[in-house]
Amino acid sequence: MAVRARLAPPRPDREEWQWHQIKSMSLPVTALLAGDRRMEAEAYLLSGFGLRAALEARPNGWVRFGHLANIWQPSRLKGIQVTAEFGTPFLAATQVFDLRPVPRKWLALERTEKAAQRFVQEGMILVTCSGSVGRATLAYTPHLDTLISHDLLRVEAIEAKHWGWLYAYLRATTTRAMMTSAQYGHIIKHLEVSHLNALPIPEVPDSLLQHFNERTHAIVELRDKANAATLAAEKRFAECLSPLPVSNNGENGFAINASAMFSSRRRIDAWPHVPLVQSIKTHLESKGQGLIPLRECGYQVWVPGRYKRVPVEEGVTYLDSSDLFEINPDLSKQFADCSFGDQYRGRVQKGWLLMASSGQVYGIIGGVILSNAFFADKVVSNHVIRIAPIAKPAVRSGYLLTALAHPLLGRPIIKSFAFGSSVPEIDTESVNEFAVVRLALDDEDYIADQAEQAAEWRAEADVLETEIADEAEQILSRFLAGEPLEPHPSSELGVHVHQKP
């Protein structure tokens, strides 16, 4: 039935727009026609445009980023996907930032155009150029011998002495703002090589260049050591339990007795009954020195309740579950302080295990990390299960981490706990029922030592990376203020500001 227009009383005039304020400014035409000749307002209204203009207004002491770095991007990838047995592992742009990059695709190397350009060397700077642009990281061991997405710009220092300063500069808040203001695209933002080449970067003394090089080398070294320690812990764990017999992973279907589906928790979905999961449980029971439920290991398992999130400009730093599994994640969320659902006010402590309790089964759900110093005074999402030791636990947290997170002997069992179709969930009761396999005390201590040391090294790398970004930000602020920087050994940042006479 047609709806006819009806007369209505005139709406009262509103003197003010009640939802938001229009952001506007005036610019000379020359600003619009310079460089890329950008015509969209966003490029000029973001703070990065003003910061860049202020840097470029300085009469000397800076150069274009492209004068110090060689920046390039591989051509768009058109790879042929094959099985892991015949292919070369491939990492998408977001996977490069994972705490532990796990390839989900393998490509035929001989059918991949200019494949050599898609490999990276240790220490190469990678910058996101699609989606969330301008995020930089350093390539290290897990990225080697792996095809890396073309959605990451490659940045190499022309002179080795500039490498650390280039990376610290790219991590600075001001630089990130300038890159964001240079992005283009309506739905998916993009950043080009030319945009990075044109960025203004201050010239700093050689002593500062050495300072940043040393700290950047330390970051790569710490992450390499953490990765090696994690692999060492998992290798010893697997060796103590002998190789797992090949079993059906469920991808091609399987059959079970109806009685098995209605035992215990009466799960009628497929995940808990995958033959591989049952094989792992049987293998652990036969090869280990006994099984003990996690609830009897001396740990408290809980997840915070619901709470209201109130965004504020200067609140407490908040981590989503996905942030836990990234290298030095972008922490952009700030919420007003509240109870955050538990007695610890959402904060976590060093030595706790943190498990993602929701997400897709092929993603982060069931992933576990060991909390470290990087998480101090930060609020963690209530979609993360806390596993906290009580008094003197029966097993050390590092060993429990390995038992839960081992890619072949632990993680598949945790994933089988997931329930729900749209967004699968893991509940605390299932985690409490997880059967922890026991080994000889020497083996458990070695595994715990390696896992706990890896967590410490990762924290040191993240903290160090945050510090050099803060140092670079302070250098940019002082440069904008017209204050020349000279080295001074007693300064906290390795620099000292001399006032003009």
Side-chain angles (χ1 to χ4, degrees), residues 116-232:
Q117 293 184 359
R118 306 185 192 279
F119 293 100
V120 298
Q121 290 76 43
E122 187 168 73
M124 179 180 283
I125 301 172
L126 305 173
V127 182
T128 55
C129 59
S130 180
S132 179
V133 305
R135 186 178 176 189
T137 192
L138 295 163
Y140 69 114
T141 303
H143 302 142
L144 308 183
D145 302 321
T146 302
L147 294 167
I148 303 295
S149 170
H150 62 272
D151 286 326
L152 289 164
L153 300 179
R154 277 64 167 173
V155 179
E156 298 175 292
I158 295 175
E159 294 186 48
K161 67 178 183 178
H162 292 125
W163 171 60
W165 167 232
L166 291 175
Y167 184 62
Y169 169 80
L170 289 172
R171 294 285 305 181
T173 304
T174 293
T175 310
R176 187 74 182 269
M178 289 192 292
M179 287 190 282
T180 303
S181 69
Q183 68 187 12
Y184 69 94
H186 180 57
I187 303 299
I188 300 177
K189 303 300 182 181
H190 293 281
L191 197 69
E192 300 290 345
V193 171
S194 60
H195 297 148
L196 255 66
N197 275 326
L199 289 177
I201 177 173
E203 296 178 296
V204 297
D206 286 345
S207 58
L208 277 179
L209 294 178
Q210 182 180 354
H211 165 79
F212 283 113
N213 262 0
E214 290 173 353
R215 306 199 87 183
T216 306
H217 274 295
I219 292 169
V220 176
E221 183 180 358
L222 285 166
R223 287 185 177 148
D224 280 341
K225 289 164 63 177
N227 180 69
T230 298
L231 295 179

